[in-house]
Amino acid sequence: MAFVPKTQPYNGKINAVTLGTGDKAIVIGGQNVLPFYTFDAPIENAPKVGIEISDAANEWVSAGLKEFYAGCTTMADYAKKAETMPGADFLCLHFESADPNGANRPTADCVADAVAVAEAVTMPIVIMGCKNIEKDGELFSKISEALQGKNILCLSARSEDYKTVGASVALAYGQKVGAETADDINLAKQLNIMLKGLSIAPESIIMNVGTAAVGYGYEYVASTLDRVRLAALAQSDADLQMPIIAPVSPDTWGVKESTASEDDEPTWGSVEDRAVDMEVSTAAADLVGGADAVIMRHPTAVAAIKKFITELV
C-alpha cells in the first residue's frame, strides 16, 4: 500500500502585495502554508531579497562591499550597481544620514537622491528612514509624492506616526506602507487595525514585526514571527495576514561580531567573514520564521540566501 502523506494547507492566506511596476515588479506574500512547507502546498511567491543602499555607504569598511561598489559615488551609482547583484529582487534606499541627531541631511537632498535612483533603475524601491519620528514623516511624504506611480514601500509607520505616514504614503500618493512594531504580536495586530481604520487597504500594508541579529535577543523575534504566521494561517486572522519584511543588514552589520577588529579579537577569524556569517544566519532565521522578504547588504551573503531560498522552494 502506497504511503499518502497528509498535507496541511491552511484556510488562512497571506496577502499578496505588489511592489514596483513593469517587468521587474515583485509580489510579496500570497502563500497558505508555513515557511518552505512545499510538501503541504506550493508556495505561490518565493521570499524576496532586497539590497540596502545607504546614503552613508561611502563609510562602509567591508572589503567586499568596497570592491563590489568600486567607483560608485552617488546613491544612483550604488543603486545601478546593486541592481546587477546576483539574487537581488528589489532595492532599499536607507536615508540614515537624515537623522537630526546625526548628519541631519536635508529632506530635499534625500528626495533628490530617491528621484535620481528611480530614474536610473527598474527594480522596485523600498525607502528606509532614519528612525526619527518627525524627520521620517516628512521624508516618507516627500519621497512618496516625488515617486508617484512607482509603487514603492516606505518603512515604516509606527504607533506614534501611523496617521501622518499612512495618510500621506498610502492614501495621498498610492504607495505601500510598512507597519513597524517591536517583537509583540498584539502590537503588530493593533497597528494593522489602526492603519486599516484609516481606510488603507490590507494589500497596501507590509509588516516589520521586529528585528535583531541572531544572538541579540533573537528569541523574541523568532517567537513573534511564529505566533504572527500561525495566527494568520491557522486562525485566519485577517489583521495579521500582511506579509512580513525583515531589515537584516542594519542590525547585523552593527554588532560586535561584525565590527571587532582582528587585532582586538584574534581568535574570531576574519572580520569580513564574521559579518557575512551574521547576515546570512539572521536572514535564514527570519525566512524560516515567516519573513516574506529580507533586506541585505553583502553580495556573498545575498548569494548564499538566494541559493537557500531557491533550493527550499
Side-chain angles (χ1 to χ4, degrees):
M1 182 176 178
F3 170 69
V4 179
K6 182 176 180 176
T7 60
Q8 182 62 60
Y10 295 94
N11 291 327
K13 186 176 183 179
I14 305 305
N15 300 336
V17 177
T18 301
L19 297 181
T21 60
D23 294 341
K24 293 290 185 68
I26 60 173
V27 180
I28 298 176
Q31 69 276 17
N32 70 329
V33 293
L34 292 173
F36 302 114
Y37 276 41
T38 53
F39 43 80
D40 280 342
I43 291 179
E44 189 170 328
N45 301 296
K48 301 299 189 290
V49 178
I51 311 302
E52 179 198 4
I53 301 154
S54 171
D55 59 354
N58 62 342
E59 299 174 8
W60 289 346
V61 297
S62 159
L65 290 171
K66 285 182 176 293
E67 179 181 359
F68 183 81
Y69 290 109
C72 296
T73 56
T74 66
M75 283 194 87
D77 291 338
Y78 278 90
K80 286 189 288 185
K81 184 62 177 179
E83 197 171 33
T84 70
M85 190 181 296
D89 296 305
F90 64 94
L91 305 175
C92 177
L93 309 186
H94 187 183
F95 291 101
E96 56 186 319
S97 295
D99 187 354
N101 297 313
N104 197 22
R105 193 160 177 253
T107 298
D109 291 352
C110 298
V111 173
D113 273 346
V115 170
V117 168
E119 292 174 348
V121 303
T122 56
M123 276 187 174
I125 293 173
V126 171
I127 304 298
M128 189 185 299
C130 62
K131 300 297 183 183
N132 178 278
I133 296 292
E134 184 176 347
K135 189 67 172 282
D136 279 354
E138 180 183 352
L139 191 65
F140 295 148
S141 178
K142 295 295 185 181
I143 291 179
S144 292
E145 180 182 13
L147 299 189
Q148 283 186 80
K150 295 293 185 180
N151 197 23
I152 67 172
L153 167 67
C154 287
L155 293 178
S156 297
R158 288 150 286 195
S159 59
E160 299 92 338
D161 64 355
Y162 78 94
K163 288 183 179 179
T164 54
V165 172
S168 62
V169 170
L171 299 180
Y173 304 120
Q175 314 286 17
K176 302 300 193 297
V177 60
E180 180 179 341
T181 50
D183 303 323
D184 187 303
I185 185 173
N186 297 312
L187 294 178
K189 180 172 180 173
Q190 181 182 26
L191 183 54
N192 289 337
I193 291 172
M194 292 190 297
L195 286 169
K196 291 199 297 182
L198 298 176
S199 299
I200 297 173
E203 294 75 18
S204 292
I205 302 171
I206 292 179
M207 293 187 287
N208 171 11
V209 298
T211 59
V214 289
Y216 286 81
Y218 189 81
E219 63 271 20
Y220 295 102
V221 179
S223 62
T224 303
L225 288 169
D226 286 344
R227 294 180 67 198
V228 168
R229 190 45 44 102
L230 283 170
L233 297 178
Q235 300 171 24
S236 297
D237 191 332
D239 295 323
L240 290 169
Q241 289 177 337
M242 294 73 174
I244 297 170
I245 190 168
V248 172
S249 49
D251 281 326
T252 57
W253 282 85
V255 297
K256 184 177 180 180
E257 288 82 354
S258 302
T259 59
S261 71
E262 293 167 38
D263 290 336
D264 290 339
E265 300 292 348
T267 63
W268 286 11
S270 163
V271 63
E272 183 92 0
D273 291 345
R274 282 188 263 124
V276 169
D277 289 347
M278 286 296 293
E279 191 170 20
V280 170
S281 299
T282 303
D286 286 339
L287 291 169
V288 298
D292 302 281
V294 289
I295 295 170
M296 305 182 68
R297 186 181 295 179
H298 198 286
T300 302
V302 169
I305 286 299
K306 198 65 176 184
K307 181 181 179 182
F308 174 81
I309 293 169
T310 302
E311 292 187 354
L312 288 179
V313 173

PDB file of all heavy atoms in Angstrom, residues 35-36 214 218 225 248 277-291 294 296 301 304-305 308-309 312:
ATOM      1  N   PRO A  35       6.382  28.580   6.359  1.00  0.00           N
ATOM      2  CA  PRO A  35       7.557  28.869   5.525  1.00  0.00           C
ATOM      3  C   PRO A  35       8.250  27.613   5.002  1.00  0.00           C
ATOM      4  O   PRO A  35       8.601  26.721   5.775  1.00  0.00           O
ATOM      5  CB  PRO A  35       8.465  29.640   6.481  1.00  0.00           C
ATOM      6  CG  PRO A  35       7.545  30.266   7.462  1.00  0.00           C
ATOM      7  CD  PRO A  35       6.435  29.292   7.653  1.00  0.00           C
ATOM      8  N   PHE A  36       8.380  27.547   3.684  1.00  0.00           N
ATOM      9  CA  PHE A  36       9.091  26.483   2.967  1.00  0.00           C
ATOM     10  C   PHE A  36       8.421  25.109   3.104  1.00  0.00           C
ATOM     11  O   PHE A  36       9.027  24.109   2.763  1.00  0.00           O
ATOM     12  CB  PHE A  36      10.557  26.404   3.415  1.00  0.00           C
ATOM     13  CG  PHE A  36      11.312  27.682   3.210  1.00  0.00           C
ATOM     14  CD1 PHE A  36      11.785  28.420   4.288  1.00  0.00           C
ATOM     15  CD2 PHE A  36      11.533  28.179   1.932  1.00  0.00           C
ATOM     16  CE1 PHE A  36      12.471  29.614   4.100  1.00  0.00           C
ATOM     17  CE2 PHE A  36      12.219  29.372   1.728  1.00  0.00           C
ATOM     18  CZ  PHE A  36      12.686  30.090   2.815  1.00  0.00           C
ATOM     19  N   VAL A 214      21.013  37.580  15.145  1.00  0.00           N
ATOM     20  CA  VAL A 214      20.986  36.343  15.926  1.00  0.00           C
ATOM     21  C   VAL A 214      21.958  36.474  17.094  1.00  0.00           C
ATOM     22  O   VAL A 214      23.054  37.007  16.955  1.00  0.00           O
ATOM     23  CB  VAL A 214      21.351  35.118  15.056  1.00  0.00           C
ATOM     24  CG1 VAL A 214      20.246  34.800  14.078  1.00  0.00           C
ATOM     25  CG2 VAL A 214      22.664  35.335  14.316  1.00  0.00           C
ATOM     26  N   TYR A 218      17.363  37.410  19.918  1.00  0.00           N
ATOM     27  CA  TYR A 218      16.632  36.960  18.730  1.00  0.00           C
ATOM     28  C   TYR A 218      15.449  36.060  19.080  1.00  0.00           C
ATOM     29  O   TYR A 218      14.524  35.914  18.283  1.00  0.00           O
ATOM     30  CB  TYR A 218      17.571  36.230  17.758  1.00  0.00           C
ATOM     31  CG  TYR A 218      16.895  35.961  16.445  1.00  0.00           C
ATOM     32  CD1 TYR A 218      16.814  36.962  15.476  1.00  0.00           C
ATOM     33  CD2 TYR A 218      16.277  34.740  16.188  1.00  0.00           C
ATOM     34  CE1 TYR A 218      16.145  36.743  14.289  1.00  0.00           C
ATOM     35  CE2 TYR A 218      15.609  34.515  15.003  1.00  0.00           C
ATOM     36  CZ  TYR A 218      15.542  35.526  14.054  1.00  0.00           C
ATOM     37  OH  TYR A 218      14.864  35.321  12.887  1.00  0.00           O
ATOM     38  N   LEU A 225       7.575  36.052  15.115  1.00  0.00           N
ATOM     39  CA  LEU A 225       7.343  35.575  13.754  1.00  0.00           C
ATOM     40  C   LEU A 225       6.457  34.341  13.753  1.00  0.00           C
ATOM     41  O   LEU A 225       5.495  34.242  12.978  1.00  0.00           O
ATOM     42  CB  LEU A 225       8.680  35.265  13.074  1.00  0.00           C
ATOM     43  CG  LEU A 225       9.559  36.446  12.668  1.00  0.00           C
ATOM     44  CD1 LEU A 225      10.940  35.956  12.254  1.00  0.00           C
ATOM     45  CD2 LEU A 225       8.917  37.226  11.524  1.00  0.00           C
ATOM     46  N   VAL A 248      17.469  43.109   7.628  1.00  0.00           N
ATOM     47  CA  VAL A 248      18.529  42.330   8.273  1.00  0.00           C
ATOM     48  C   VAL A 248      19.830  43.128   8.412  1.00  0.00           C
ATOM     49  O   VAL A 248      20.463  43.139   9.475  1.00  0.00           O
ATOM     50  CB  VAL A 248      18.786  41.030   7.487  1.00  0.00           C
ATOM     51  CG1 VAL A 248      20.017  40.304   8.012  1.00  0.00           C
ATOM     52  CG2 VAL A 248      17.559  40.120   7.563  1.00  0.00           C
ATOM     53  N   ASP A 277      28.679  36.032   7.843  1.00  0.00           N
ATOM     54  CA  ASP A 277      28.025  34.933   8.557  1.00  0.00           C
ATOM     55  C   ASP A 277      26.863  35.433   9.412  1.00  0.00           C
ATOM     56  O   ASP A 277      25.806  34.787   9.486  1.00  0.00           O
ATOM     57  CB  ASP A 277      29.032  34.195   9.444  1.00  0.00           C
ATOM     58  CG  ASP A 277      30.035  33.371   8.656  1.00  0.00           C
ATOM     59  OD1 ASP A 277      29.807  33.170   7.445  1.00  0.00           O
ATOM     60  OD2 ASP A 277      31.045  32.931   9.252  1.00  0.00           O
ATOM     61  N   MET A 278      27.042  36.574  10.067  1.00  0.00           N
ATOM     62  CA  MET A 278      25.954  37.135  10.865  1.00  0.00           C
ATOM     63  C   MET A 278      24.762  37.501   9.976  1.00  0.00           C
ATOM     64  O   MET A 278      23.597  37.264  10.335  1.00  0.00           O
ATOM     65  CB  MET A 278      26.431  38.376  11.620  1.00  0.00           C
ATOM     66  CG  MET A 278      27.331  38.090  12.806  1.00  0.00           C
ATOM     67  SD  MET A 278      26.509  37.166  14.133  1.00  0.00           S
ATOM     68  CE  MET A 278      25.315  38.361  14.723  1.00  0.00           C
ATOM     69  N   GLU A 279      25.057  38.057   8.821  1.00  0.00           N
ATOM     70  CA  GLU A 279      23.976  38.457   7.916  1.00  0.00           C
ATOM     71  C   GLU A 279      23.229  37.238   7.378  1.00  0.00           C
ATOM     72  O   GLU A 279      21.994  37.200   7.350  1.00  0.00           O
ATOM     73  CB  GLU A 279      24.538  39.303   6.763  1.00  0.00           C
ATOM     74  CG  GLU A 279      23.459  39.967   5.933  1.00  0.00           C
ATOM     75  CD  GLU A 279      23.995  40.983   4.940  1.00  0.00           C
ATOM     76  OE1 GLU A 279      25.196  40.931   4.598  1.00  0.00           O
ATOM     77  OE2 GLU A 279      23.202  41.834   4.514  1.00  0.00           O
ATOM     78  N   VAL A 280      23.973  36.220   6.974  1.00  0.00           N
ATOM     79  CA  VAL A 280      23.355  35.003   6.437  1.00  0.00           C
ATOM     80  C   VAL A 280      22.536  34.301   7.522  1.00  0.00           C
ATOM     81  O   VAL A 280      21.392  33.877   7.288  1.00  0.00           O
ATOM     82  CB  VAL A 280      24.426  34.054   5.863  1.00  0.00           C
ATOM     83  CG1 VAL A 280      23.819  32.703   5.525  1.00  0.00           C
ATOM     84  CG2 VAL A 280      25.060  34.665   4.617  1.00  0.00           C
ATOM     85  N   SER A 281      23.117  34.148   8.710  1.00  0.00           N
ATOM     86  CA  SER A 281      22.429  33.443   9.799  1.00  0.00           C
ATOM     87  C   SER A 281      21.123  34.134  10.172  1.00  0.00           C
ATOM     88  O   SER A 281      20.093  33.482  10.369  1.00  0.00           O
ATOM     89  CB  SER A 281      23.338  33.351  11.029  1.00  0.00           C
ATOM     90  OG  SER A 281      24.516  32.644  10.752  1.00  0.00           O
ATOM     91  N   THR A 282      21.161  35.454  10.250  1.00  0.00           N
ATOM     92  CA  THR A 282      19.967  36.195  10.634  1.00  0.00           C
ATOM     93  C   THR A 282      18.908  36.141   9.546  1.00  0.00           C
ATOM     94  O   THR A 282      17.714  35.936   9.830  1.00  0.00           O
ATOM     95  CB  THR A 282      20.322  37.649  10.965  1.00  0.00           C
ATOM     96  OG1 THR A 282      21.315  37.680  11.992  1.00  0.00           O
ATOM     97  CG2 THR A 282      19.101  38.423  11.429  1.00  0.00           C
ATOM     98  N   ALA A 283      19.322  36.327   8.307  1.00  0.00           N
ATOM     99  CA  ALA A 283      18.364  36.280   7.204  1.00  0.00           C
ATOM    100  C   ALA A 283      17.708  34.904   7.100  1.00  0.00           C
ATOM    101  O   ALA A 283      16.490  34.796   6.904  1.00  0.00           O
ATOM    102  CB  ALA A 283      19.055  36.629   5.889  1.00  0.00           C
ATOM    103  N   ALA A 284      18.495  33.847   7.247  1.00  0.00           N
ATOM    104  CA  ALA A 284      17.943  32.494   7.177  1.00  0.00           C
ATOM    105  C   ALA A 284      16.949  32.252   8.302  1.00  0.00           C
ATOM    106  O   ALA A 284      15.875  31.668   8.103  1.00  0.00           O
ATOM    107  CB  ALA A 284      19.068  31.467   7.232  1.00  0.00           C
ATOM    108  N   ALA A 285      17.293  32.720   9.513  1.00  0.00           N
ATOM    109  CA  ALA A 285      16.389  32.558  10.651  1.00  0.00           C
ATOM    110  C   ALA A 285      15.084  33.320  10.431  1.00  0.00           C
ATOM    111  O   ALA A 285      13.993  32.819  10.739  1.00  0.00           O
ATOM    112  CB  ALA A 285      17.074  33.026  11.930  1.00  0.00           C
ATOM    113  N   ASP A 286      15.177  34.531   9.893  1.00  0.00           N
ATOM    114  CA  ASP A 286      13.975  35.315   9.609  1.00  0.00           C
ATOM    115  C   ASP A 286      13.088  34.607   8.584  1.00  0.00           C
ATOM    116  O   ASP A 286      11.857  34.563   8.734  1.00  0.00           O
ATOM    117  CB  ASP A 286      14.356  36.694   9.076  1.00  0.00           C
ATOM    118  CG  ASP A 286      14.889  37.623  10.161  1.00  0.00           C
ATOM    119  OD1 ASP A 286      14.616  37.375  11.347  1.00  0.00           O
ATOM    120  OD2 ASP A 286      15.590  38.588   9.815  1.00  0.00           O
ATOM    121  N   LEU A 287      13.691  34.069   7.560  1.00  0.00           N
ATOM    122  CA  LEU A 287      12.924  33.425   6.490  1.00  0.00           C
ATOM    123  C   LEU A 287      12.213  32.164   6.967  1.00  0.00           C
ATOM    124  O   LEU A 287      11.044  31.946   6.649  1.00  0.00           O
ATOM    125  CB  LEU A 287      13.839  33.111   5.300  1.00  0.00           C
ATOM    126  CG  LEU A 287      14.343  34.337   4.526  1.00  0.00           C
ATOM    127  CD1 LEU A 287      15.442  33.938   3.554  1.00  0.00           C
ATOM    128  CD2 LEU A 287      13.198  35.015   3.772  1.00  0.00           C
ATOM    129  N   VAL A 288      12.893  31.333   7.734  1.00  0.00           N
ATOM    130  CA  VAL A 288      12.236  30.112   8.211  1.00  0.00           C
ATOM    131  C   VAL A 288      11.209  30.440   9.299  1.00  0.00           C
ATOM    132  O   VAL A 288      10.308  29.633   9.578  1.00  0.00           O
ATOM    133  CB  VAL A 288      13.249  29.065   8.728  1.00  0.00           C
ATOM    134  CG1 VAL A 288      14.176  28.632   7.616  1.00  0.00           C
ATOM    135  CG2 VAL A 288      14.038  29.585   9.921  1.00  0.00           C
ATOM    136  N   GLY A 289      11.329  31.621   9.902  1.00  0.00           N
ATOM    137  CA  GLY A 289      10.344  32.046  10.894  1.00  0.00           C
ATOM    138  C   GLY A 289       9.075  32.601  10.277  1.00  0.00           C
ATOM    139  O   GLY A 289       8.037  32.623  10.926  1.00  0.00           O
ATOM    140  N   GLY A 290       9.168  33.095   9.049  1.00  0.00           N
ATOM    141  CA  GLY A 290       7.974  33.620   8.406  1.00  0.00           C
ATOM    142  C   GLY A 290       8.151  34.891   7.608  1.00  0.00           C
ATOM    143  O   GLY A 290       7.183  35.402   7.030  1.00  0.00           O
ATOM    144  N   ALA A 291       9.355  35.456   7.541  1.00  0.00           N
ATOM    145  CA  ALA A 291       9.558  36.661   6.741  1.00  0.00           C
ATOM    146  C   ALA A 291       9.375  36.343   5.257  1.00  0.00           C
ATOM    147  O   ALA A 291       9.838  35.318   4.769  1.00  0.00           O
ATOM    148  CB  ALA A 291      10.944  37.248   6.988  1.00  0.00           C
ATOM    149  N   VAL A 294      13.640  39.841   2.904  1.00  0.00           N
ATOM    150  CA  VAL A 294      14.729  40.284   3.768  1.00  0.00           C
ATOM    151  C   VAL A 294      15.527  41.351   3.035  1.00  0.00           C
ATOM    152  O   VAL A 294      15.627  41.335   1.810  1.00  0.00           O
ATOM    153  CB  VAL A 294      15.663  39.124   4.182  1.00  0.00           C
ATOM    154  CG1 VAL A 294      14.966  38.188   5.154  1.00  0.00           C
ATOM    155  CG2 VAL A 294      16.164  38.346   2.964  1.00  0.00           C
ATOM    156  N   MET A 296      19.263  42.972   2.718  1.00  0.00           N
ATOM    157  CA  MET A 296      20.634  42.558   2.982  1.00  0.00           C
ATOM    158  C   MET A 296      21.611  43.539   2.334  1.00  0.00           C
ATOM    159  O   MET A 296      21.206  44.499   1.677  1.00  0.00           O
ATOM    160  CB  MET A 296      20.847  41.129   2.476  1.00  0.00           C
ATOM    161  CG  MET A 296      19.838  40.126   3.046  1.00  0.00           C
ATOM    162  SD  MET A 296      20.109  38.428   2.509  1.00  0.00           S
ATOM    163  CE  MET A 296      21.664  38.079   3.347  1.00  0.00           C
ATOM    164  N   ALA A 301      26.683  37.286   1.011  1.00  0.00           N
ATOM    165  CA  ALA A 301      25.540  36.908   1.844  1.00  0.00           C
ATOM    166  C   ALA A 301      24.270  36.786   1.005  1.00  0.00           C
ATOM    167  O   ALA A 301      23.480  35.847   1.188  1.00  0.00           O
ATOM    168  CB  ALA A 301      25.350  37.938   2.955  1.00  0.00           C
ATOM    169  N   ALA A 304      24.279  33.536  -0.919  1.00  0.00           N
ATOM    170  CA  ALA A 304      24.011  32.381  -0.060  1.00  0.00           C
ATOM    171  C   ALA A 304      22.528  32.267   0.262  1.00  0.00           C
ATOM    172  O   ALA A 304      21.955  31.156   0.219  1.00  0.00           O
ATOM    173  CB  ALA A 304      24.826  32.489   1.227  1.00  0.00           C
ATOM    174  N   ILE A 305      21.884  33.377   0.576  1.00  0.00           N
ATOM    175  CA  ILE A 305      20.462  33.350   0.924  1.00  0.00           C
ATOM    176  C   ILE A 305      19.601  33.059  -0.307  1.00  0.00           C
ATOM    177  O   ILE A 305      18.595  32.346  -0.221  1.00  0.00           O
ATOM    178  CB  ILE A 305      20.053  34.676   1.594  1.00  0.00           C
ATOM    179  CG1 ILE A 305      20.608  34.724   3.013  1.00  0.00           C
ATOM    180  CG2 ILE A 305      18.538  34.832   1.617  1.00  0.00           C
ATOM    181  CD1 ILE A 305      20.116  33.615   3.933  1.00  0.00           C
ATOM    182  N   PHE A 308      19.741  29.448  -0.759  1.00  0.00           N
ATOM    183  CA  PHE A 308      18.939  28.855   0.312  1.00  0.00           C
ATOM    184  C   PHE A 308      17.465  28.863  -0.073  1.00  0.00           C
ATOM    185  O   PHE A 308      16.756  27.837   0.028  1.00  0.00           O
ATOM    186  CB  PHE A 308      19.180  29.670   1.583  1.00  0.00           C
ATOM    187  CG  PHE A 308      18.347  29.316   2.773  1.00  0.00           C
ATOM    188  CD1 PHE A 308      18.682  28.250   3.580  1.00  0.00           C
ATOM    189  CD2 PHE A 308      17.243  30.075   3.110  1.00  0.00           C
ATOM    190  CE1 PHE A 308      17.913  27.926   4.690  1.00  0.00           C
ATOM    191  CE2 PHE A 308      16.478  29.771   4.220  1.00  0.00           C
ATOM    192  CZ  PHE A 308      16.811  28.693   5.015  1.00  0.00           C
ATOM    193  N   ILE A 309      16.963  30.004  -0.556  1.00  0.00           N
ATOM    194  CA  ILE A 309      15.569  30.125  -0.949  1.00  0.00           C
ATOM    195  C   ILE A 309      15.249  29.222  -2.129  1.00  0.00           C
ATOM    196  O   ILE A 309      14.266  28.478  -2.124  1.00  0.00           O
ATOM    197  CB  ILE A 309      15.234  31.594  -1.292  1.00  0.00           C
ATOM    198  CG1 ILE A 309      15.314  32.469  -0.043  1.00  0.00           C
ATOM    199  CG2 ILE A 309      13.856  31.708  -1.935  1.00  0.00           C
ATOM    200  CD1 ILE A 309      15.253  33.957  -0.325  1.00  0.00           C
ATOM    201  N   LEU A 312      15.010  25.503  -1.340  1.00  0.00           N
ATOM    202  CA  LEU A 312      13.891  25.095  -0.477  1.00  0.00           C
ATOM    203  C   LEU A 312      12.536  25.302  -1.137  1.00  0.00           C
ATOM    204  O   LEU A 312      11.565  24.650  -0.771  1.00  0.00           O
ATOM    205  CB  LEU A 312      13.955  25.855   0.847  1.00  0.00           C
ATOM    206  CG  LEU A 312      15.060  25.445   1.805  1.00  0.00           C
ATOM    207  CD1 LEU A 312      15.027  26.300   3.065  1.00  0.00           C
ATOM    208  CD2 LEU A 312      14.926  23.975   2.189  1.00  0.00           C
TER     209      LEU A 312
END
